[in-house]
Amino acid sequence: MSNQVLHVSSETIEEMERFYKDYLSSKLPPGSVFVAKLPQCVITAYRSGKVLFQGALGDKEAKRWDETITKERTDASATDAFYHRSFIGSDEVGTGDYFGPITVVASYVKKEQIPILQQIGVKDSKHLTDDHIVQIAKKLISIVPYSLLILSNEKYNTLQQRGYPQTKMKAILHNQAIVHLLKKIAPEQPEGILIDQFIDQDKYYSYVKGQKEVVTTNVHFRMKAEQLHLSVAASSIIARYAFLKEMHRLSEKAGFSLPKGAGKQVDEAAARLLREQGEEALRMYCKLHFANTEKAKRLVK
């Protein structure tokens, strides 16, 4: 288990609370602002500005919010001038949700399209409601070339049981989405490729080395990449849109609305599915290895 502590601004704590809105706990320790319970990390933010990250992914989540790193990254983006160049950007949605698939999107945004995307409201999806995301995504998909990949729950569970960590699945999906998009826009070439970083670059390439095609030329990995180029923000929005549509489809199949995230309401929904459709049915709805599965079984008993 990894424990990390950051001291951040009140504005960052507010941003974090929005970011983890689907994982918030109703039980708060004294002096705290929020508690977010992710599948492999518990985050507790205090009014003093201290934020405690506990769990296997504590290091990763802490790095996402380290303000020193963020400032260095912002300075680097100005130097590299990512924002005003024609880039492919990729991002994913659904990795922390018990129900629903992982959706990965790569989008190509030309520099002359940036004002158009700004006009329709493309920005960091964490600052957008799901209703806004749907509205923007419907416009986006007719403006920018993109590649969407959806990893179904059945396939996810099969890969996980074969020993694939989630980060390996994500790396393969990102690489495939970029490969598909490069073929779609050929012979045009982007000035660069920006991946919203979820793993060390060397580990990423070790995961994808067995793939038929691996993109390595002019690829950049950055945390909070959606703030550095609108191609990543666009990909995040389209990926969320696809995820929401899949959640709606799965909810219709289940016969009731499936909640997002991995909190208590998810445990209760999974328990209902167990009672109504049996344990085997969960394979098509959820990521079985999450702790929610065992919690749901206990609720049924």
Side-chain angles (χ1 to χ4, degrees), residues 283-298:
R283 292 186 62 86
M284 73 178 70
Y285 293 105
C286 70
K287 302 171 182 69
L288 285 173
H289 67 103
F290 278 32
N292 304 87
T293 301
E294 294 304 316
K295 291 178 182 178
K297 288 179 181 178
R298 288 197 294 270

PDB file of all heavy atoms in Angstrom, residues 283-298:
ATOM      1  N   ARG A 283     -20.746 -10.602 -15.976  1.00  0.00           N
ATOM      2  CA  ARG A 283     -19.627 -10.493 -16.920  1.00  0.00           C
ATOM      3  C   ARG A 283     -19.907  -9.474 -18.022  1.00  0.00           C
ATOM      4  O   ARG A 283     -18.983  -8.838 -18.519  1.00  0.00           O
ATOM      5  CB  ARG A 283     -19.322 -11.850 -17.571  1.00  0.00           C
ATOM      6  CG  ARG A 283     -18.757 -12.899 -16.635  1.00  0.00           C
ATOM      7  CD  ARG A 283     -18.341 -14.144 -17.395  1.00  0.00           C
ATOM      8  NE  ARG A 283     -17.283 -13.843 -18.345  1.00  0.00           N
ATOM      9  CZ  ARG A 283     -15.994 -13.834 -18.037  1.00  0.00           C
ATOM     10  NH1 ARG A 283     -15.601 -14.069 -16.796  1.00  0.00           N
ATOM     11  NH2 ARG A 283     -15.096 -13.579 -18.968  1.00  0.00           N
ATOM     12  N   MET A 284     -21.174  -9.317 -18.404  1.00  0.00           N
ATOM     13  CA  MET A 284     -21.489  -8.404 -19.501  1.00  0.00           C
ATOM     14  C   MET A 284     -21.743  -6.976 -19.016  1.00  0.00           C
ATOM     15  O   MET A 284     -21.811  -6.056 -19.818  1.00  0.00           O
ATOM     16  CB  MET A 284     -22.709  -8.904 -20.283  1.00  0.00           C
ATOM     17  CG  MET A 284     -24.027  -8.753 -19.576  1.00  0.00           C
ATOM     18  SD  MET A 284     -25.428  -9.309 -20.586  1.00  0.00           S
ATOM     19  CE  MET A 284     -25.134 -11.078 -20.604  1.00  0.00           C
ATOM     20  N   TYR A 285     -21.847  -6.800 -17.697  1.00  0.00           N
ATOM     21  CA  TYR A 285     -22.174  -5.480 -17.162  1.00  0.00           C
ATOM     22  C   TYR A 285     -21.011  -4.776 -16.470  1.00  0.00           C
ATOM     23  O   TYR A 285     -20.984  -3.550 -16.421  1.00  0.00           O
ATOM     24  CB  TYR A 285     -23.303  -5.600 -16.133  1.00  0.00           C
ATOM     25  CG  TYR A 285     -24.632  -6.014 -16.700  1.00  0.00           C
ATOM     26  CD1 TYR A 285     -25.108  -7.317 -16.520  1.00  0.00           C
ATOM     27  CD2 TYR A 285     -25.431  -5.119 -17.413  1.00  0.00           C
ATOM     28  CE1 TYR A 285     -26.340  -7.708 -17.027  1.00  0.00           C
ATOM     29  CE2 TYR A 285     -26.667  -5.500 -17.917  1.00  0.00           C
ATOM     30  CZ  TYR A 285     -27.107  -6.795 -17.726  1.00  0.00           C
ATOM     31  OH  TYR A 285     -28.321  -7.173 -18.237  1.00  0.00           O
ATOM     32  N   CYS A 286     -20.089  -5.526 -15.913  1.00  0.00           N
ATOM     33  CA  CYS A 286     -19.141  -4.897 -14.986  1.00  0.00           C
ATOM     34  C   CYS A 286     -17.722  -5.440 -15.126  1.00  0.00           C
ATOM     35  O   CYS A 286     -17.463  -6.376 -15.876  1.00  0.00           O
ATOM     36  CB  CYS A 286     -19.628  -5.093 -13.552  1.00  0.00           C
ATOM     37  SG  CYS A 286     -19.509  -6.819 -13.015  1.00  0.00           S
ATOM     38  N   LYS A 287     -16.804  -4.813 -14.371  1.00  0.00           N
ATOM     39  CA  LYS A 287     -15.420  -5.264 -14.261  1.00  0.00           C
ATOM     40  C   LYS A 287     -15.332  -6.129 -13.010  1.00  0.00           C
ATOM     41  O   LYS A 287     -15.282  -5.635 -11.881  1.00  0.00           O
ATOM     42  CB  LYS A 287     -14.480  -4.052 -14.184  1.00  0.00           C
ATOM     43  CG  LYS A 287     -14.623  -3.125 -15.408  1.00  0.00           C
ATOM     44  CD  LYS A 287     -13.860  -1.828 -15.217  1.00  0.00           C
ATOM     45  CE  LYS A 287     -14.048  -0.888 -16.404  1.00  0.00           C
ATOM     46  NZ  LYS A 287     -15.446  -0.349 -16.508  1.00  0.00           N
ATOM     47  N   LEU A 288     -15.331  -7.429 -13.219  1.00  0.00           N
ATOM     48  CA  LEU A 288     -15.541  -8.388 -12.133  1.00  0.00           C
ATOM     49  C   LEU A 288     -14.521  -8.307 -11.010  1.00  0.00           C
ATOM     50  O   LEU A 288     -14.841  -8.616  -9.864  1.00  0.00           O
ATOM     51  CB  LEU A 288     -15.553  -9.815 -12.701  1.00  0.00           C
ATOM     52  CG  LEU A 288     -16.809 -10.246 -13.452  1.00  0.00           C
ATOM     53  CD1 LEU A 288     -16.600 -11.604 -14.090  1.00  0.00           C
ATOM     54  CD2 LEU A 288     -18.008 -10.274 -12.521  1.00  0.00           C
ATOM     55  N   HIS A 289     -13.295  -7.906 -11.317  1.00  0.00           N
ATOM     56  CA  HIS A 289     -12.246  -7.940 -10.290  1.00  0.00           C
ATOM     57  C   HIS A 289     -12.331  -6.778  -9.310  1.00  0.00           C
ATOM     58  O   HIS A 289     -11.635  -6.768  -8.296  1.00  0.00           O
ATOM     59  CB  HIS A 289     -10.858  -7.964 -10.939  1.00  0.00           C
ATOM     60  CG  HIS A 289     -10.495  -6.709 -11.660  1.00  0.00           C
ATOM     61  ND1 HIS A 289      -9.630  -5.777 -11.141  1.00  0.00           N
ATOM     62  CD2 HIS A 289     -10.879  -6.213 -12.868  1.00  0.00           C
ATOM     63  CE1 HIS A 289      -9.490  -4.780 -11.991  1.00  0.00           C
ATOM     64  NE2 HIS A 289     -10.240  -5.019 -13.049  1.00  0.00           N
ATOM     65  N   PHE A 290     -13.182  -5.779  -9.585  1.00  0.00           N
ATOM     66  CA  PHE A 290     -13.366  -4.687  -8.640  1.00  0.00           C
ATOM     67  C   PHE A 290     -13.944  -5.245  -7.336  1.00  0.00           C
ATOM     68  O   PHE A 290     -14.686  -6.228  -7.335  1.00  0.00           O
ATOM     69  CB  PHE A 290     -14.336  -3.644  -9.206  1.00  0.00           C
ATOM     70  CG  PHE A 290     -13.698  -2.648 -10.160  1.00  0.00           C
ATOM     71  CD1 PHE A 290     -12.635  -3.003 -10.973  1.00  0.00           C
ATOM     72  CD2 PHE A 290     -14.182  -1.362 -10.251  1.00  0.00           C
ATOM     73  CE1 PHE A 290     -12.069  -2.098 -11.855  1.00  0.00           C
ATOM     74  CE2 PHE A 290     -13.633  -0.438 -11.125  1.00  0.00           C
ATOM     75  CZ  PHE A 290     -12.568  -0.806 -11.931  1.00  0.00           C
ATOM     76  N   ALA A 291     -13.651  -4.576  -6.235  1.00  0.00           N
ATOM     77  CA  ALA A 291     -14.135  -5.015  -4.919  1.00  0.00           C
ATOM     78  C   ALA A 291     -15.651  -4.996  -4.834  1.00  0.00           C
ATOM     79  O   ALA A 291     -16.242  -5.669  -3.979  1.00  0.00           O
ATOM     80  CB  ALA A 291     -13.541  -4.124  -3.829  1.00  0.00           C
ATOM     81  N   ASN A 292     -16.297  -4.248  -5.723  1.00  0.00           N
ATOM     82  CA  ASN A 292     -17.764  -4.157  -5.703  1.00  0.00           C
ATOM     83  C   ASN A 292     -18.435  -5.519  -5.871  1.00  0.00           C
ATOM     84  O   ASN A 292     -19.531  -5.736  -5.346  1.00  0.00           O
ATOM     85  CB  ASN A 292     -18.252  -3.226  -6.810  1.00  0.00           C
ATOM     86  CG  ASN A 292     -17.635  -1.841  -6.718  1.00  0.00           C
ATOM     87  OD1 ASN A 292     -16.556  -1.619  -7.244  1.00  0.00           O
ATOM     88  ND2 ASN A 292     -18.320  -0.925  -6.038  1.00  0.00           N
ATOM     89  N   THR A 293     -17.797  -6.435  -6.592  1.00  0.00           N
ATOM     90  CA  THR A 293     -18.390  -7.757  -6.814  1.00  0.00           C
ATOM     91  C   THR A 293     -18.585  -8.492  -5.502  1.00  0.00           C
ATOM     92  O   THR A 293     -19.673  -9.019  -5.217  1.00  0.00           O
ATOM     93  CB  THR A 293     -17.508  -8.591  -7.764  1.00  0.00           C
ATOM     94  OG1 THR A 293     -17.372  -7.908  -9.018  1.00  0.00           O
ATOM     95  CG2 THR A 293     -18.130  -9.954  -8.017  1.00  0.00           C
ATOM     96  N   GLU A 294     -17.547  -8.536  -4.677  1.00  0.00           N
ATOM     97  CA  GLU A 294     -17.653  -9.222  -3.388  1.00  0.00           C
ATOM     98  C   GLU A 294     -18.611  -8.495  -2.441  1.00  0.00           C
ATOM     99  O   GLU A 294     -19.340  -9.134  -1.667  1.00  0.00           O
ATOM    100  CB  GLU A 294     -16.268  -9.370  -2.744  1.00  0.00           C
ATOM    101  CG  GLU A 294     -15.332 -10.279  -3.511  1.00  0.00           C
ATOM    102  CD  GLU A 294     -15.928 -11.675  -3.738  1.00  0.00           C
ATOM    103  OE1 GLU A 294     -16.504 -12.230  -2.781  1.00  0.00           O
ATOM    104  OE2 GLU A 294     -15.833 -12.178  -4.871  1.00  0.00           O
ATOM    105  N   LYS A 295     -18.626  -7.164  -2.512  1.00  0.00           N
ATOM    106  CA  LYS A 295     -19.553  -6.399  -1.669  1.00  0.00           C
ATOM    107  C   LYS A 295     -21.003  -6.723  -2.054  1.00  0.00           C
ATOM    108  O   LYS A 295     -21.877  -6.855  -1.201  1.00  0.00           O
ATOM    109  CB  LYS A 295     -19.288  -4.911  -1.812  1.00  0.00           C
ATOM    110  CG  LYS A 295     -17.965  -4.453  -1.212  1.00  0.00           C
ATOM    111  CD  LYS A 295     -17.737  -2.952  -1.446  1.00  0.00           C
ATOM    112  CE  LYS A 295     -16.395  -2.530  -0.896  1.00  0.00           C
ATOM    113  NZ  LYS A 295     -16.141  -1.068  -1.166  1.00  0.00           N
ATOM    114  N   ALA A 296     -21.248  -6.838  -3.356  1.00  0.00           N
ATOM    115  CA  ALA A 296     -22.589  -7.162  -3.830  1.00  0.00           C
ATOM    116  C   ALA A 296     -23.004  -8.562  -3.378  1.00  0.00           C
ATOM    117  O   ALA A 296     -24.149  -8.778  -2.966  1.00  0.00           O
ATOM    118  CB  ALA A 296     -22.641  -7.063  -5.357  1.00  0.00           C
ATOM    119  N   LYS A 297     -22.083  -9.490  -3.430  1.00  0.00           N
ATOM    120  CA  LYS A 297     -22.390 -10.870  -2.984  1.00  0.00           C
ATOM    121  C   LYS A 297     -22.749 -10.883  -1.505  1.00  0.00           C
ATOM    122  O   LYS A 297     -23.662 -11.602  -1.084  1.00  0.00           O
ATOM    123  CB  LYS A 297     -21.182 -11.778  -3.248  1.00  0.00           C
ATOM    124  CG  LYS A 297     -20.951 -12.096  -4.716  1.00  0.00           C
ATOM    125  CD  LYS A 297     -19.729 -12.978  -4.888  1.00  0.00           C
ATOM    126  CE  LYS A 297     -19.465 -13.283  -6.361  1.00  0.00           C
ATOM    127  NZ  LYS A 297     -18.228 -14.107  -6.529  1.00  0.00           N
ATOM    128  N   ARG A 298     -22.032 -10.075  -0.709  1.00  0.00           N
ATOM    129  CA  ARG A 298     -22.336 -10.014   0.724  1.00  0.00           C
ATOM    130  C   ARG A 298     -23.725  -9.407   0.954  1.00  0.00           C
ATOM    131  O   ARG A 298     -24.466  -9.844   1.842  1.00  0.00           O
ATOM    132  CB  ARG A 298     -21.271  -9.214   1.460  1.00  0.00           C
ATOM    133  CG  ARG A 298     -19.934  -9.946   1.581  1.00  0.00           C
ATOM    134  CD  ARG A 298     -19.058  -9.320   2.646  1.00  0.00           C
ATOM    135  NE  ARG A 298     -18.626  -7.976   2.306  1.00  0.00           N
ATOM    136  CZ  ARG A 298     -17.507  -7.713   1.632  1.00  0.00           C
ATOM    137  NH1 ARG A 298     -16.711  -8.717   1.254  1.00  0.00           N
ATOM    138  NH2 ARG A 298     -17.153  -6.473   1.374  1.00  0.00           N
TER     139      ARG A 298
END
